[in-house]
Amino acid sequence: MSAFAVWDEGEARALLAGMGRGQDKVLPMLQALQARYGFVHAAAVGLVAAAVNVSRAEVHGVVTFYHDFRTAPPPARVIRLCRAEACQAVGCEALVAEAARLGVAVDGPPAGGVAVETVYCLGNCALGPAALVGGELVGLLDADGLRALVAGA
Ligand code: FES
């Protein structure tokens, strides 16, 4: 079961109404909507634009600029794999190849309800390769560990 609420335009409108009207609110509003619904629904762009009196194009630009915004419901499980320098030095790219072998291309579309996404440093460099899964840090990740994570273990 998803941890996110089902998109509800009326509820989203009420959520935005309590956040002020300044143009500096675009980013926090989008973040709040994504936190609530798991992604930025297409209708949310117009709601945010109206709430702060900017164009839909400007809001859409913010959504597409920031990699963390999703425009579709998130997969059931997201594995965020660190590919920064320290983790590269201890083999994270082999895990990228392993993910592809498992049918889940890193930064590609979800497969089987699983997505593997690139992140750059999780602050767990001493225990690399590192990943973040469901808010939990995973260290010393190897191919067996990645297979288990993809399988949902
Ligand atoms: S470089 Fe991977 S956790 Fe810091």
Side-chain angles (χ1 to χ4, degrees):
M1 183 171 148
S2 172
F4 300 108
V6 174
W7 170 253
D8 178 326
E9 188 165 327
E11 180 193 67
R13 197 182 304 273
L15 183 109
L16 299 181
M19 295 185 70
R21 299 191 57 80
Q23 293 184 6
D24 62 328
K25 302 296 184 198
V26 169
L27 199 53
M29 284 178 169
L30 292 169
Q31 290 168 328
L33 291 171
Q34 180 156 296
R36 177 80 180 142
Y37 303 108
F39 70 109
V40 177
H41 192 281
V45 171
L47 294 183
V48 171
V52 299
N53 199 28
V54 298
S55 71
R56 292 172 58 100
E58 288 173 89
V59 177
H60 179 74
V62 173
V63 172
T64 54
F65 180 80
Y66 290 101
H67 180 74
D68 274 352
F69 285 126
R70 295 180 183 282
T71 55
R77 189 168 49 262
V78 178
I79 301 165
R80 301 187 123 191
L81 179 65
C82 178
R83 297 175 71 185
E85 198 169 315
C87 285
Q88 281 186 19
V90 291
C92 72
E93 292 306 311
L95 297 176
V96 172
E98 181 63 21
R101 272 193 294 277
L102 295 171
V104 189
V106 174
D107 297 325
V114 179
V116 182
E117 298 178 346
T118 296
V119 291
Y120 291 98
C121 196
L122 294 164
N124 198 30
C125 313
L127 295 175
L132 186 69
V133 185
E136 299 286 326
L137 268 176
V138 178
L140 303 174
L141 189 61
D142 59 12
D144 288 342
L146 181 64
R147 277 192 291 275
L149 291 175
V150 168

